[in-house]
Amino acid sequence: MKAATGQIMTADEIGGCDLHTQLSGTVDYPAANEDEAIAIGRDIIAQFDRPPKTRIEQAPPEDPLYDPDELYGIIPNDIKKSFDMREVIAPHRRWEPVP
């Protein structure tokens, strides 16, 4: 501390509650212990004005085009061969590419 500001201070003075709340202004709410600090933090957060959650319309899921037991007929036995993943996740109607 002496090298930075020229002041001689003890460890308690450097990191004490009074210093940080009254002199440096880096702390707004002093607390006697961790439980009190958590309670203060919760009180602050409880005052936040939260925006309402976005309502999302959901459609009921469609049954798959293929029976799950038939998936092994779509996926090749050779793992190095490619296949169309859209066939695995296909809904009742066939997938059509967008022109």
Side-chain angles (χ1 to χ4, degrees):
M1 190 69 171
K2 186 175 182 180
T5 64
Q7 297 175 329
I8 299 173
M9 302 179 87
T10 66
D12 288 335
E13 291 172 327
I14 292 173
C17 175
D18 291 339
L19 174 81
H20 292 297
T21 55
Q22 296 171 9
L23 296 177
S24 71
T26 57
V27 176
D28 292 325
Y29 302 97
N33 55 46
E34 186 175 345
D35 290 335
E36 185 180 347
I38 291 170
I40 292 169
R42 286 181 176 163
D43 288 341
I44 293 168
I45 298 297
Q47 296 175 25
F48 287 177
D49 186 21
R50 295 182 185 173
K53 292 185 177 182
T54 304
R55 306 261 321 152
I56 299 174
E57 293 184 29
Q58 294 182 344
E62 297 179 14
D63 290 333
L65 181 62
Y66 299 107
D67 185 319
D69 294 331
E70 296 177 8
L71 287 178
Y72 291 109
I74 300 170
I75 301 172
N77 290 334
D78 184 358
I79 62 170
K80 294 181 181 181
K81 286 189 177 181
S82 63
F83 62 94
D84 189 357
M85 186 62 188
R86 292 175 291 228
E87 291 293 318
V88 174
I89 61 172
H92 275 302
R93 54 189 180 277
R94 291 273 181 197
W95 178 84
E96 296 177 15
V98 177

